[in-house]
Amino acid sequence: MKEMVMPQQGELLGRVIKLVGGDNIIVKCTDGKVRTCRIRGKIKRRMWIRDNDLVLVAPWDFQSDRADIIWRYISAHAEKMKAEGHLQGLE
């Protein structure tokens, strides 16, 4: 199993609510905000993102209701983060 990517400064965890299309996804973040996120090009070709996936997002500095998706967690990592209490506000 690959190592788990943890949120750094300025990054949040989020749960995918809906795929909108055109690389845009609606995500509910741990700070309580619902953001429109886009899939970064590097990830777009590498991983599929589905409804209810746990993702790592980086909110934009100049537009706080938008963000970039940096990482998608596999289900084993999502369960581990839930057990450790990192998903406050997403249940």
Side-chain angles (χ1 to χ4, degrees):
M1 187 173 5
K2 286 180 136 184
E3 87 276 351
M4 192 162 57
V5 176
M6 294 302 288
Q8 303 296 316
Q9 182 70 34
E11 297 173 351
L12 298 166
L13 293 170
R15 180 79 62 191
V16 175
I17 297 174
K18 184 179 178 192
L19 293 120
V20 184
D23 304 329
N24 289 316
I25 296 177
I26 307 294
V27 175
K28 183 176 195 287
C29 299
T30 48
D31 65 353
K33 289 186 180 176
V34 175
R35 292 183 167 87
T36 303
C37 300
R38 71 171 183 190
I39 307 169
R40 281 193 30 218
K42 192 165 92 173
I43 291 176
K44 197 187 305 181
R45 291 178 279 284
R46 253 197 248 156
M47 16 177 121
W48 289 94
I49 296 179
R50 297 176 299 275
D51 281 0
N52 217 24
D53 276 350
L54 184 66
V55 292
L56 182 63
V57 300
W60 293 0
D61 315 353
F62 54 91
Q63 203 174 352
S64 66
D65 62 329
R66 305 247 335 163
D68 285 329
I69 292 181
I70 302 173
W71 190 257
R72 177 185 63 87
Y73 292 98
I74 60 172
S75 56
H77 288 163
E79 291 299 319
K80 186 174 184 213
M81 292 188 93
K82 186 175 184 178
E84 292 174 1
H86 292 289
L87 305 182
Q88 301 304 330
L90 289 181
E91 272 78 42

